[in-house]
Amino acid sequence: MQALLDAIAHMPLPTDAQRIFHGRGGRHPGCEQWTLDAYPPVYMLTSFLPAGEDTEAQLATVGAALAARCEQLAPGQPLNWVFQCRNEQLRTQGRTETRLMAGAVPEPHAVTEYGLTFKVHVLRGQNHGLFLDMAEGRRWVDAFAAARSTDRYGLKVLNLFAYTCAFSVVALQAGARQVVNVDMSHGAIAVGQQNHQLNGLTTGASFLAHDIFSSWGKITRSGPYGLVIVDPPSYQKGSFVATKDYARLMRRLPDLLAPGGHALLCLNAPELGVGFLQEQMQELAPELQFVERVANPAAFADVDPERALKVLVYAAPNL
């Protein structure tokens, strides 16, 4: 665990939500099972292997390291930290084992990223309300929306698989005129509405708690869009399987995009490389031109970029 302990010993006091240690990236041999995230004022340690005989000793070691570093960074302040086990057996069952190790978790719990506020929940579920690896994708949307904010009719955005609508908050704050958020989870959409309220965004967003694949009529009628964001789960039984369903989205893009519009395609499936997206786009929507791959946050560096999160930008031709 030495690389993890070293990261703790040298970490600055986090103010924004962020990843502190990314063992999953394979850059720290022997620490591949561990990640450490900050959801201020809470730290979250995650293990992707089953608990073993030495787990309690390992947790005690991490707890001591966190306590020592936090006393240096914020003397007298309580240490709040959570441990979650997400081994493969639990993950495939949609379950986790989560423990509050020390301190407390605020309720409600809100964190910041680049000046914006988002509601999170770290004591339940595999997803905590804000995907930290998508921070640079959100920065890209911020820059794109700001650049298009002076367009004659304003920027209209379609946010598919919106989850808690962080992309929508970013786009509207940067000057987008309208964002249509679509996600089949009523609970996630409800949190998305709260995120807009937390940031003082009272107009411009609509929220559709619908299955995307059965709502194309409504989605298309609200278009065309200057930006379409596609950020699906890589595998969610009964709703989306990337290997067969991503193509169904790609076919729709040319009709959804306004002339000169852009699509942001996201995929977090280690077993599928960049070619999976690029080859299908070339076949199914050849009129859209590849622009760039958005870099991932430095904290998520991976020995194999093909395994890491893929965020690709495509552009529709101008008239």
Side-chain angles (χ1 to χ4, degrees), residues 42-161:
V42 181
Y43 296 93
M44 182 158 202
L45 177 72
T46 304
S47 171
F48 290 83
L49 289 179
E53 294 180 1
D54 56 350
T55 296
E56 294 306 315
Q58 291 174 323
L59 294 180
T61 300
V62 172
L66 284 170
R69 184 56 174 162
C70 289
E71 182 60 26
Q72 293 174 333
L73 296 171
Q77 295 299 308
L79 167 64
N80 310 301
W81 76 286
V82 170
F83 169 65
Q84 182 172 91
C85 184
R86 288 178 57 180
N87 63 70
E88 187 66 17
Q89 182 178 358
L90 289 171
R91 188 188 69 79
T92 55
Q93 297 171 0
R95 298 192 300 117
T96 58
E97 293 177 359
T98 308
R99 279 193 272 164
L100 177 63
M101 303 298 295
V105 175
E107 182 55 46
H109 185 184
V111 298
T112 58
E113 182 186 79
Y114 304 129
L116 298 175
T117 303
F118 302 97
K119 188 176 180 180
V120 296
H121 51 85
V122 298
L123 288 176
R124 66 181 191 276
Q126 297 182 10
N127 303 322
H128 306 300
L130 185 70
F131 291 116
L132 303 184
D133 57 353
M134 194 56 78
E136 290 302 311
R138 288 186 286 271
R139 278 172 62 103
W140 185 93
V141 169
D142 176 82
F144 183 84
R148 296 293 182 97
S149 63
T150 57
D151 287 4
R152 181 178 177 186
Y153 297 108
L155 176 66
K156 182 183 288 188
V157 180
L158 175 62
N159 186 19
L160 297 177
F161 305 94

Side-chain angles (χ1 to χ4, degrees), residues 156-172 178-185 188-190 192-193 196 201 203-210 212 215 218-219 222 225 229:
K156 182 183 288 188
V157 180
L158 175 62
N159 186 19
L160 297 177
F161 305 94
Y163 187 42
T164 56
C165 306
F167 277 124
S168 177
V169 169
V170 169
L172 289 171
Q178 181 182 356
V179 182
V180 178
N181 296 285
V182 191
D183 195 288
M184 69 186 303
S185 170
I189 285 289
Q193 292 172 310
H196 285 74
L201 299 168
T203 61
S206 58
F207 305 91
L208 304 177
H210 295 161
I212 289 167
S215 303
K218 183 173 293 188
I219 292 169
S222 296
Y225 304 91
I229 300 167

